[in-house]
Amino acid sequence: MNYKEKYNEWLNYLKDDSALKQQLLAIKDDEAEIEDRFYQHLTFGTAGLRGKIGAGTNRMNVYTVARATQGIANYIIEHGKEAMDKGVAIAYDSRHYSKEFSILTARILAANGIKVYVFPDLRPTPELAFVIRKLGCTSGINITASHNPKDYNGYKAYWSDGCQVASDVAKGMLDKINEVDFFEGAKGMPYEEAIASGMITVLGEEMDRAYLDCIEGLAIHSGDELDLDIPLVYTPLNGAGSIPFRTMLKDRGFKNWHIVKEQEMPDPDFTTVGYPNPESPAAFKMAEELGKQTGAELLMATDPDSDRFAIEIRDDEGNYIPLNGNQTGYLLVNYILEGHHDAGTLPKNGAMVKSIVTSNMSTIMAESYGVKMIESLTGFKNICGRIPYLEENNLVYLFGYEESVGYGACKDIRDKDGISAGMLVAEAAAYYRKQGKTLWQVLESLFEKYGYFAEDEPNLILEGVEGSNRFKRMMTAVRNNPPMEIAGYKVTQLIDYINGYEDIEASNVLKFVLDNNSWFAIRPSGTEPKIKFYFYTCQNSREEALAVNKKIKEAILEIVNAID
């Protein structure tokens, strides 16, 4: 069927009093909107589903969620009764319909004879990843759209290793999903009946405690080594991080922390922030205001599902400076390496993991301590997916991160974790303050020691069918006719990951290495309507590095924007 036929099929099936039908009737004269809602099924990839909430095959709604869940149930059933009995853990965040979609998911799995574990309320994504391994579940599902705007929601699928599903599992699930009819394919069990029968178990506070114990066990310094009076500000951006982050700060003994009250409680509209992405400095507006009132040295934020974490630190003039994911990564990599080295607990066979589009300054830092840096594709399913490889090669996992403000310090939490990252950054700030230093001064000293690195990560956002097609044309044009010189600098190496590279599996990424100690990469996002660019360089000064990056960025964007 074409998109118009699918539109009419939905109109004919939905009842007249259905809110989804009213949405479709309202767009009956908007051909472009109809096409965007029905030109494809919402893509189920290695990050599950993610899209705008609404009626249509290319939207998040009860039918797309039910269809995906029934397909996953059929996939688990094929793995046998043991897999069904081990069950599925489900979590959700603060978004519109997150709770409703999570209950629907639980009802369908229970109706298929699959054991289900649910939380009594919203929980961070990393807690779900932890619980999957803790309970020995076959799978996990999280209803969240991470840091996307309020009109989005999503459906993250996990497997028994606690990671988001790898490509082979995702393909197996997708094959089963494609066999399910949109309207009549899924079966559900009444929620209360499923609880009463034992098919659904509501998890208690002991699981929250186990998750926090895992995080707090990462502490490198404590007690008198820390200045626990350091003034801190935290905002959960109206998401799931509020309770666990506050509990962690109390457990660790921090005495002078403040939370942004307007962003403390769940709010699916993210009224005070709009775009709830801590990677964006705009998300820190209210945290900065509170920071100025309280004299905070460190501002911290997590996104709605609390897997992403970002900070602003105060410079020597008292200004709040937003750090990008690479810069926060430098501080964390240094603190972990330095801390364990000084304590005599740094393993001789230590290893860290970073994505292929993350700065190589951390590689230099790790190697200076005798620690191996392993690379992976973007996404924590790939970063944490390296842990079995490390274990097989007698390497000890110390830390993993990527430039998009994702950090993982615990091998038992196999996803990025804003709560543990927050604990380590707060601990680092308190540790250095005890020594009379700020995080800003520590960061400056790292540049002096390892080189003046600069990074820039602009995105080009294009929604809808035309946007998707233009992204494809851009990647095809650059791949087929790659520039050999950029802004006067020669390309010395072109790495195309489309068929894999060395031990990195295939991905639609292009990476260019230049002859002036710079490199850049181009990658379409797998979860958002954007194409992402990554520019890195190391020069004799920070100012020179920024200028070089700017020059290369402008040249590349001019080339790409000229592609229709």
Side-chain angles (χ1 to χ4, degrees):
M1 284 189 287
N2 61 34
Y3 70 87
K4 199 62 180 288
E5 290 170 332
K6 291 177 185 176
Y7 169 75
N8 287 323
E9 180 189 35
W10 277 57
L11 271 183
N12 292 332
Y13 179 84
L14 295 174
K15 294 179 181 178
D16 290 341
D17 61 352
S18 163
L20 294 179
K21 184 165 187 174
Q22 296 309 309
Q23 282 185 31
L24 296 182
L25 288 171
I27 63 167
K28 61 184 177 63
D29 298 320
D30 189 339
E31 197 71 18
E33 180 67 14
I34 293 172
E35 182 180 14
D36 187 51
R37 286 174 181 253
F38 289 95
Y39 83 97
Q40 67 173 7
H41 290 169
L42 195 63
T43 305
F44 185 91
T46 53
L49 304 170
R50 190 178 300 181
K52 290 182 178 179
I53 301 166
T57 58
N58 192 34
R59 294 290 188 270
M60 283 290 294
N61 54 63
V62 292
Y63 298 105
T64 51
V65 169
R67 182 171 181 263
T69 304
Q70 185 61 54
I72 290 173
N74 294 342
Y75 182 77
I76 292 172
I77 289 168
E78 275 202 349
H79 283 72
K81 190 171 187 309
E82 183 180 358
M84 296 166 66
D85 290 343
K86 285 183 176 180
V88 178
I90 302 173
Y92 65 91
D93 70 3
S94 59
R95 292 179 177 275
H96 287 293
Y97 299 105
S98 283
K99 184 174 183 178
E100 291 83 353
F101 290 160
S102 72
I103 290 173
L104 174 63
T105 299
R107 290 176 52 234
I108 292 171
L109 292 170
N112 281 273
I114 297 170
K115 175 68 179 175
V116 180
Y117 298 92
V118 299
F119 292 97
D121 205 341
L122 72 171
R123 291 295 189 277
T125 286
E127 183 169 350
L128 173 70
F130 170 78
V131 162
I132 291 167
R133 288 172 54 79
K134 180 75 172 175
L135 294 176
C137 294
T138 296
S139 180
I141 293 166
N142 195 17
I143 308 298
T144 174
S146 189
H147 57 287
N148 285 71
K150 66 178 181 179
D151 49 345
Y152 281 77
N153 211 329
Y155 184 106
K156 288 183 182 178
Y158 292 74
W159 202 234
S160 57
D161 58 359
C163 294
Q164 290 184 48
V165 290
S167 300
D168 58 337
V169 177
K171 184 184 182 303
M173 289 178 170
L174 179 59
D175 289 344
K176 292 299 180 183
I177 291 168
N178 286 337
E179 296 171 358
V180 179
D181 180 78
F182 257 106
F183 298 118
E184 305 294 342
K187 54 184 177 181
M189 184 178 190
Y191 191 65
E192 296 302 328
E193 180 183 325
I195 292 175
S197 68
M199 290 305 300
I200 294 177
T201 295
V202 181
L203 298 171
E205 292 182 2
E206 70 279 358
M207 208 54 65
D208 300 329
R209 188 64 261 167
Y211 165 64
L212 287 173
D213 286 346
C214 180
I215 288 171
E216 291 164 16
L218 298 169
I220 297 172
H221 298 287
S222 60
D224 292 341
E225 298 174 296
L226 307 178
D227 184 344
L228 294 170
D229 285 321
I230 183 172
L232 309 170
V233 163
Y234 166 65
T235 173
L237 298 178
N238 303 115
S242 181
I243 293 175
F245 205 102
R246 285 183 288 148
T247 304
M248 173 273 293
L249 290 174
K250 291 175 183 175
D251 288 349
R252 289 304 313 277
F254 289 97
K255 302 171 184 176
N256 191 12
W257 57 270
H258 310 269
I259 192 165
V260 178
K261 289 296 180 184
E262 297 87 346
Q263 297 170 345
E264 180 178 6
M265 303 304 292
D267 174 11
D269 291 315
F270 308 111
T271 309
T272 63
V273 66
Y275 179 39
N277 184 359
E279 199 172 6
S280 169
F284 277 85
K285 182 177 183 294
M286 299 192 83
E288 287 180 356
E289 293 171 358
L290 182 57
K292 290 171 184 174
Q293 294 171 20
T294 60
E297 286 193 15
L298 169 66
L299 312 180
M300 301 176 285
T302 51
D303 69 342
D305 68 326
S306 312
D307 59 353
R308 291 185 174 217
F309 171 79
I311 64 174
E312 291 191 359
I313 59 177
R314 209 163 57 184
D315 67 9
D316 291 338
E317 282 72 49
N319 303 305
Y320 288 118
I321 307 299
L323 299 193
N324 60 44
N326 284 291
Q327 293 164 339
T328 302
Y330 303 153
L331 288 172
L332 282 165
V333 167
N334 176 72
Y335 182 66
I336 291 168
L337 292 171
E338 181 185 69
H340 283 300
H341 175 269
D342 292 350
T345 55
L346 187 65
K348 293 181 180 179
N349 53 344
M352 293 183 166
V353 185
K354 74 174 186 67
S355 77
I356 58 173
V357 294
T358 297
S359 171
N360 58 341
M361 177 172 163
S362 56
T363 302
I364 298 169
M365 295 167 66
E367 290 175 350
S368 74
Y369 282 89
V371 169
K372 189 176 181 66
M373 181 64 78
I374 306 292
E375 287 199 331
S376 77
L377 292 177
T378 58
F380 262 73
K381 73 182 182 68
N382 296 306
I383 290 171
C384 291
R386 286 294 207 174
I387 294 176
Y389 165 83
L390 300 182
E391 293 173 342
E392 289 166 9
N393 288 274
N394 196 34
L395 294 169
V396 178
Y397 177 82
L398 294 172
F399 186 62
Y401 85 107
E402 59 184 354
E403 45 67 46
S404 55
V405 298
Y407 313 97
C410 180
K411 68 181 181 65
D412 292 321
I413 303 172
R414 299 202 177 172
D415 207 340
K416 54 184 176 285
D417 182 6
I419 312 299
S420 61
M423 187 198 77
L424 286 170
V425 168
E427 181 187 308
Y431 174 74
Y432 292 123
R433 190 173 198 248
K434 190 82 169 184
Q435 299 179 343
K437 295 185 288 187
T438 66
L439 289 179
W440 172 262
Q441 292 164 344
V442 172
L443 185 59
E444 288 295 297
S445 71
L446 294 178
F447 289 134
E448 291 173 8
K449 181 177 181 180
Y450 295 106
Y452 290 94
F453 284 77
E455 50 284 305
D456 199 356
E457 300 157 23
N459 300 319
L460 178 59
I461 299 174
L462 295 171
E463 302 261 6
V465 186
E466 282 307 311
S468 176
N469 290 336
R470 191 175 175 206
F471 288 154
K472 292 174 184 175
R473 292 194 297 271
M474 287 176 176
M475 292 300 293
T476 299
V478 176
R479 179 170 279 119
N480 292 343
N481 188 26
M484 291 293 99
E485 185 174 290
I486 301 294
Y489 307 117
K490 290 183 179 180
V491 175
T492 59
Q493 185 181 17
L494 168 57
I495 304 172
D496 189 345
Y497 292 88
I498 194 68
N499 294 312
Y501 176 75
E502 295 182 344
D503 65 342
I504 305 289
E505 65 182 78
S507 186
N508 189 14
V509 183
L510 291 168
K511 186 174 182 178
F512 295 78
V513 181
L514 307 181
D515 66 355
N516 70 327
N517 210 15
S518 303
W519 63 271
F520 67 90
I522 308 173
R523 180 183 76 89
S525 172
T527 57
E528 300 173 87
K530 66 173 63 172
I531 192 164
K532 306 183 81 168
F533 302 87
Y534 308 84
F535 297 94
Y536 293 99
T537 192
C538 180
Q539 302 297 326
N540 294 322
S541 69
R542 180 73 174 166
E543 291 73 23
E544 183 182 352
L546 290 169
V548 168
N549 250 0
K550 184 173 184 287
K551 187 177 177 182
I552 297 170
K553 178 180 73 171
E554 289 174 349
I556 286 299
L557 292 182
E558 183 177 352
I559 292 171
V560 171
N561 282 321
I563 300 169
D564 293 328

